Amino acid sequence: MPVARFDAAGKLAVDEALQRGEAVVLPTPSPLAYVIAGKTAAAVNRARGRPHNYPVATWEPRLDRLAPHLALDEAERRRLGWLLAVERVTALVPQTRDVAAPSWLEPAASYGMALLFGVTWEPIAWLLERHAPLFVSSANRAGALPAVDLRQAVAAFGPEVWVLDGDALRERARPHASTTTLRFVPGRGWEMHRRGIQDSLHATAGRSDYLADVLARADAALHRKPLPRRQDGRGGRPLRRSRSSDRDGPGLGRPPRARPEAS
């Protein structure tokens, strides 16, 4: 069974699998689930049993490579960078129309929006430095729940897919799930697109409105502003969300519907 340990031999096995064009299952930091990644979207989709052109996310931690292809101003680009690298959400953001999308972004794009996964984590930094941008999706067969540990990852993919065993580096007693997905809609700002582990843990802690909280934390970190007083319990503004699937990893779904401007 192709399980790679976090040693020189395991890293070499995963590296060579990616170089051969195969998809590999990788751990991400708690409380996120495992993911499946590859140098092509087709490899990821083939491993998951989906059509080869099914949309996936682009995994590119270097914001400077993403920025020219995103229709965001400087303030929102900085906020996006914090959301991806620190909060570790997935983001659905508008693409520029006057700059052709590179090949490593096209499989993550639909309806003029790009799906971005920007998680950075020291144990897999070597892999991202060598192979990013990668294409990534949740580590499960279509319709099943994402794998949250080595046992589930191996059971999901069998002997044809290498799995990098990161269980010893994760807090296994904690709940784990796929990331929350936020989207940026021009003229409206950031919205909830798909529920995930970040907003779930926020709700479990009895806090209201994850979106308002995460944006306030982003702005406080970027501009060194004091955080507003949190509203606990059930008060506060309700979450905005789409009807995207909450089971099969972050989805692009349909383009956001325009809302009438206030008069």
Side-chain angles (χ1 to χ4, degrees):
M1 194 163 290
V3 174
R5 307 299 176 185
F6 260 95
D7 54 23
K11 292 180 179 181
L12 180 61
V14 169
D15 177 78
E16 290 180 342
L18 286 171
Q19 291 284 40
R20 291 193 300 268
E22 301 172 11
V24 298
V25 176
L26 302 171
T28 55
S30 294
L32 308 184
Y34 275 63
V35 296
I36 185 163
K39 295 179 78 70
T40 67
V44 172
N45 287 324
R46 183 167 55 249
R48 291 201 59 192
R50 302 190 305 191
H52 71 91
N53 59 347
Y54 199 93
V56 293
T58 285
W59 192 357
E60 174 50 90
R62 295 163 292 192
L63 190 62
D64 60 319
R65 292 200 67 188
L66 290 167
H69 310 289
L70 306 179
L72 299 173
D73 62 23
E74 178 61 25
E76 292 301 348
R77 283 198 295 269
R78 294 182 64 207
R79 189 183 264 174
L80 170 66
W82 188 92
L83 291 170
L84 292 174
V86 180
E87 187 68 6
R88 291 167 170 160
V89 299
T90 301
L92 188 60
V93 296
Q95 296 175 264
T96 56
R97 297 183 179 181
D98 54 348
V99 179
S103 59
W104 51 264
L105 192 56
E106 288 180 355
S110 183
Y111 300 110
M113 305 283 282
L115 189 63
L116 308 177
F117 186 78
V119 171
T120 56
W121 190 36
E122 192 279 332
I124 55 174
W126 58 274
L127 184 144
L128 292 173
E129 289 172 3
R130 180 165 170 77
H131 294 286
L134 293 168
F135 298 103
V136 65
S137 188
S138 54
N140 57 289
R141 297 286 186 176
L145 292 173
V148 300
D149 58 26
L150 176 67
R151 178 186 60 80
Q152 293 181 8
V154 170
F157 294 99
E160 65 271 20
V161 177
W162 277 98
V163 179
L164 184 61
D165 177 11
D167 280 4
L169 304 174
R170 291 154 55 81
E171 301 172 57
R172 297 184 64 186
R174 296 180 63 186
H176 289 75
S178 292
T179 62
T180 296
T181 303
L182 304 181
R183 70 181 177 210
F184 184 84
V185 182
R188 300 214 304 262
W190 290 96
E191 299 183 350
M192 288 289 295
H193 180 72
R194 172 188 168 274
R195 288 193 177 277
I197 190 63
Q198 287 94 337
D199 66 278
S200 175
L201 292 176
H202 188 83
T204 300
R207 300 168 186 163
S208 63
D209 201 342
Y210 171 76
L211 180 63
D213 178 79
V214 72
L215 295 180
R217 286 189 285 117
D219 290 344
L222 293 170
H223 305 295
R224 297 184 179 179
K225 295 180 179 179
L227 283 169
R229 181 178 299 176
R230 285 178 174 171
Q231 289 182 307
D232 293 335
R234 297 185 179 181
R237 188 178 46 176
L239 291 175
R240 290 171 289 176
R241 59 174 298 189
S242 72
R243 296 181 179 178
S244 317
S245 168
D246 62 357
R247 180 172 277 253
D248 196 27
L252 288 171
R254 296 182 180 179
R257 291 180 296 176
R259 294 178 182 171
E261 295 292 333
S263 57

